[in-house]
Amino acid sequence: MTDPSKKGRRLPLQGSPRSALAWLVVLAFGVPCVIVAFVLGSAYREGAPAAPLLAAGMFILVISVAVTLWIVRMTRRIAVTLDADALTVATGVATQRFPLATLRANGVRIVDLAAHPELKPLLRTWGIGLPGLAAGWFRLRNRGKALCVLSGRGRVTVLRADDGTWVLLSLADTTALRNALDAS
């Protein structure tokens, strides 16, 4: 696996994948806290001993914190990098390098996924999915395989590799990518 921060120039994404972290905290930490408090409180009111209840509650909260921190770490790895001969997409859980020569033939398109529902990610096969963030490998509605980094769905950069893989990115500006594809 290549480290995208070691070479190339980082292409800015629309918005920020980190804006999804508020949802992460609510879903991976807040919800378990509420459930644990409710269940343990109910068990305590029914006369269950306090020590095992506290131990179970602490165990669940430690696991929730560990999962939350792991996902935060994964979202910090999300990046799209461009160097002289390749586009590297790091989704947090996977990194894929696409030689520019394999992307050149189909060019770069900017689409609104609402207007092109066939390109909407349908099934996440390996990646991160939070409200406002989809990063990783997906199956599209057109049954194609796609590597996605989507922080918005209104203005999506779409590329297609020679092997049929779709690349869907929420790039803030596609100028550098277009120039690199034209020059290669």
Side-chain angles (χ1 to χ4, degrees), residues 6-47:
K6 296 287 187 219
K7 58 182 170 176
R9 164 180 121 160
R10 223 176 181 152
L11 299 177
L13 298 172
Q14 293 176 27
S16 170
R18 289 169 185 82
S19 64
L21 292 181
W23 281 105
L24 168 68
V25 171
V26 169
L27 295 174
F29 188 69
V31 171
C33 284
V34 170
I35 292 171
V36 165
F38 177 75
V39 170
L40 296 181
S42 297
Y44 185 72
R45 277 193 305 265
E46 295 295 322

Side-chain angles (χ1 to χ4, degrees), residues 153-176:
R153 308 255 172 153
R155 189 174 182 276
V156 176
T157 304
V158 177
L159 302 116
R160 187 139 190 220
D162 289 343
D163 67 357
T165 302
W166 293 88
V167 182
L168 278 64
L169 307 169
S170 291
L171 295 178
D173 184 19
T174 61
T175 306

Side-chain angles (χ1 to χ4, degrees), residues 35-141:
I35 292 171
V36 165
F38 177 75
V39 170
L40 296 181
S42 297
Y44 185 72
R45 277 193 305 265
E46 295 295 322
L53 291 176
L54 288 175
M58 291 305 294
F59 176 75
I60 292 168
L61 294 178
V62 166
I63 296 298
S64 295
V65 167
V67 168
T68 302
L69 291 175
W70 180 76
I71 296 173
V72 166
R73 182 174 175 229
M74 293 297 108
T75 60
R76 288 193 175 145
R77 292 182 177 182
I78 294 172
V80 178
T81 350
L82 182 63
D83 59 27
D85 64 342
L87 177 72
T88 304
V89 181
T91 64
V93 293
T95 299
Q96 183 72 38
R97 185 176 163 89
F98 296 96
L100 293 179
T102 65
L103 299 172
R104 184 179 342 116
N106 295 302
V108 177
R109 291 188 318 169
I110 307 296
V111 301
D112 182 346
L113 292 182
H116 294 275
E118 72 278 4
L119 295 176
K120 283 185 179 180
L122 178 66
L123 176 68
R124 182 177 63 243
T125 56
W126 181 244
I128 300 169
L130 294 168
L133 176 65
W137 287 102
F138 288 79
R139 283 288 174 181
L140 301 177
R141 291 193 191 276

